[in-house]
């Protein structure tokens, strides 16, 4: 089996654009959560989020090409561009065949630009306010934005990333929540490991702070309504936790075949070593003991050939729902043992819950923790819920120390349980647990 190196980290969140800014903000314990400014959220129960207030997509793509994109696509374009820049990657200079350069992305895109949808839909409304599909059919060609259906394609990000970076090989789009970005990364990992690709861009993205996603999640009962608390409302594993706060952004990694990365002199942040996935059959309400998640983590560790006692850190899901956190804590305790030395934490109170990008962000955090020899704190975890006890939760301040093996968790809203293993890079003669 071929080894897979992580050589580029592209993260875009409310606390920073790029690896350096984001990592420093995480270690400093900063949060990007605040009142929603991008639109009128007064009709929503949850009116706080982690928005990208100063996001400028023209930094990452030409204005002309952006005419075919939604904000969702723009976040993918930005995250991938930051990863490629961080990796110092140029396909031709590195000697890579573009047809062996893969793209794997996970997202949650459902519609075209909302303003284009609303403008076009008005053409199908009668004077009495009722919808008229026949009238819409007669007027649609002139009422809708010319690129409406092109910009609305769910997997459009694959085209935009291929066009921007010249990657022409294997590719896939995965739709979902936190599991989507993890699955995309895993597909990229195995594409290189089994010889299908030599280099890959993979990750996840979501405009989860947008009106469309917020209005959808607002009614599911998974978001906190403690708007007056601001950033302090997001409290994973805490006794007073009351739900998530959504955030927008993206997290992408550049993955390369190990020897190829070394030949071009790339900096290797971590080695990608394993993936595991299972399905919890209970919709929205996970198994009370977290058994499916525990099984996914065990599968990932088994593929990585890493013992549970050698794992230094788990980038946990930490969505701050009552049942979600409790079942995750129980799952991790089943794997690593109550009172183990394995540290765990969630970065969501800093960045917001990136939904389809959340699992990929956890993978990026693992790579940064390995490279930076530090673990970011879990904000808002002041009074640990006894039902979430068992793990060594990182609270208060960041911790310094060697990080050898890590696990990144991503849990899907419809029961998907995923886990990745990233380890410190070592040369073949030194490799071992």
């Amino acid at each position: 089996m071929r080894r897979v190196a992580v050589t580029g980290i592209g993260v875009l969140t409310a606390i920073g654009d790029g690896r350096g800014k984001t990592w420093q903000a995480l270690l400093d314990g900063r949060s990007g959560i605040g009142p929603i400014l991008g639109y009128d959220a007064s009709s929503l129960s949850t009116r706080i989020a982690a928005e990208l207030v100063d996001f400028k997509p023209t930094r990452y793509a030409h204005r002309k090409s952006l005419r075919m994109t939604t904000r969702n696509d723009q976040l993918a374009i930005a995250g991938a561009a930051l990863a490629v820049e961080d990796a110092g990657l140029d396909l031709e200079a590195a000697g890579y065949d573009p047809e062996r350069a893969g793209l794997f992305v996970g997202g949650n895109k459902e519609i075209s630009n909302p303003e284009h949808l609303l403008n076009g839909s008005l053409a199908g409304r009668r004077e009495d306010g009722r919808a008229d599909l026949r009238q819409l059919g007669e007027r649609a060609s002139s009422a809708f934005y010319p690129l409406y259906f092109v910009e609305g394609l769910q997997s459009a990000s694959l085209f935009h990333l291929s066009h921007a970076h010249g990657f022409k090989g294997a590719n896939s789009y995965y739709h979902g929540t936190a599991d989507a970005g993890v699955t995309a990364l895993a597909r990229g990992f195995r594409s290189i490991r089994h010889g299908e690709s030599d280099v890959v861009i993979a990750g996840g993205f979501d405009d989860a702070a947008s009106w469309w996603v917020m209005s959808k999640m607002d009614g599911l009962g998974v978001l906190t309504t403690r708007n007056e608390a601001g950033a302090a409302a997001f409290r994973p594993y805490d006794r007073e936790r009351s739900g998530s706060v959504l955030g927008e952004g993206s997290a992408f990694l550049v993955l390369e075949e190990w020897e190829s990365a070394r030949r071009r002199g790339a900096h290797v942040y971590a080695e990608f070593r394993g993936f595991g996935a299972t399905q919890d059959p209970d919709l929205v309400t996970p198994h009370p003991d977290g058994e499916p998640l525990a099984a996914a983590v065990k599968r990932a560790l088994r593929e990585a050939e890493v013992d549970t006692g050698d794992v230094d850190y788990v980038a946990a899901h930490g969505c701050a729902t009552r049942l979600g956190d409790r079942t995750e804590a129980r799952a991790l305790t089943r794997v690593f043992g109550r009172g183990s030395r394995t540290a765990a934490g969630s970065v969501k109170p800093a960045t917001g819950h990136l939904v389809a990008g959340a699992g990929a962000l956890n993978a990026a955090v693992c790579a940064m923790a390995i490279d930076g020899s530090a673990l970011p704190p879990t904000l808002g975890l002041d009074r640990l819920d006894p039902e979430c006890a068992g793990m060594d939760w990182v609270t208060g301040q960041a911790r310094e120390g060697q990080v050898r093996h890590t696990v990144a968790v991503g849990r899907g809203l419809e029961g998907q349980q995923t886990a990745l293993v990233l380890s410190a890079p070592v040369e073949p003669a030194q490799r071992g647990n």
Side-chain angles (χ1 to χ4, degrees), residues 42-361:
S42 58
S43 65
L44 301 176
S45 299
T46 301
R47 297 183 292 278
I48 55 176
E51 295 177 289
L52 295 172
V53 179
D54 298 319
F55 176 58
K56 294 180 174 59
T58 50
R59 177 188 164 190
Y60 308 99
H62 295 297
R63 189 177 301 276
K64 183 177 180 180
S65 65
L66 293 173
R67 292 177 62 239
M68 296 189 296
T69 64
T70 63
R71 187 176 178 85
N72 230 312
D73 299 323
Q74 293 166 10
L75 297 177
I77 291 169
L82 288 167
V84 170
E85 179 184 357
D86 187 58
L89 178 65
D90 180 279
L91 287 185
E92 184 177 357
Y96 283 125
D97 179 353
E99 294 187 1
R100 290 182 58 79
L103 290 169
F104 304 99
V105 300
N108 190 32
K109 180 179 177 180
E110 293 179 337
I111 61 172
S112 301
N113 282 312
E115 60 270 26
H116 295 158
L117 171 64
L118 293 173
N119 289 338
S121 298
L122 290 175
R125 185 176 292 276
R126 298 178 184 175
E127 290 184 5
D128 62 6
R130 289 187 296 172
D132 187 329
L133 292 180
R134 179 182 293 276
Q135 179 176 302
L136 178 64
E138 293 171 351
R139 300 178 180 179
S141 60
S142 59
F144 279 93
Y145 176 65
L147 299 174
Y148 174 77
F149 295 104
V150 174
E151 72 180 12
L153 294 172
Q154 283 188 316
S155 59
S157 54
L158 288 173
F159 163 77
H160 297 301
L161 299 192
S162 176
H163 180 73
H165 304 289
F167 282 48
K168 301 178 181 179
N171 60 90
S172 294
Y173 171 81
Y174 299 92
H175 188 86
T177 52
D179 59 293
V182 174
T183 304
L185 284 166
R187 177 68 175 87
F189 158 63
R190 289 184 172 165
S191 183
I192 293 176
R193 186 168 181 140
H194 296 295
E196 179 184 44
S197 302
D198 298 319
V199 59
V200 158
I201 299 173
F205 58 96
D206 207 327
D207 62 341
S210 68
W211 177 86
W212 179 265
V213 181
M214 282 289 297
S215 62
K216 177 177 65 175
M217 302 292 280
D218 198 58
L220 293 179
V222 296
L223 304 183
T224 180
T225 57
R226 295 180 57 200
N227 300 296
E228 73 289 346
F234 206 154
R235 312 182 71 83
Y237 316 108
D238 191 86
R239 293 184 184 186
E240 298 182 11
R241 67 188 184 278
S242 56
S244 291
V245 178
L246 300 185
E248 56 185 348
S250 58
F252 279 80
L253 301 181
V254 171
L255 308 179
E256 297 183 60
E257 190 276 324
W258 183 273
E259 295 302 328
S260 299
R262 285 304 200 192
R263 278 196 301 272
R264 77 173 186 90
H267 175 70
V268 178
Y269 291 100
E271 181 178 0
F272 203 136
R273 291 181 59 171
F275 168 66
T278 59
Q279 179 70 34
D280 191 325
D282 295 318
L283 181 65
V284 182
T285 56
H287 188 282
D289 291 329
E291 191 172 327
L293 175 58
V297 174
K298 289 177 181 178
R299 289 183 183 183
L301 290 169
R302 186 161 54 247
E303 181 177 32
E305 298 181 335
V306 172
D307 293 333
T308 56
D310 292 320
V311 175
D312 296 307
Y313 177 64
V314 177
H317 189 64
C319 64
T321 62
R322 302 302 302 181
L323 186 58
D325 282 6
R326 183 170 71 244
T327 58
E328 181 180 24
R330 289 177 177 175
L332 296 179
T333 302
R334 288 171 70 94
V335 175
F336 298 103
R338 179 170 290 272
S340 75
R341 56 170 292 280
T342 300
S346 172
V347 299
K348 285 183 176 62
T351 65
H353 190 329
L354 301 193
V355 189
L361 178 61

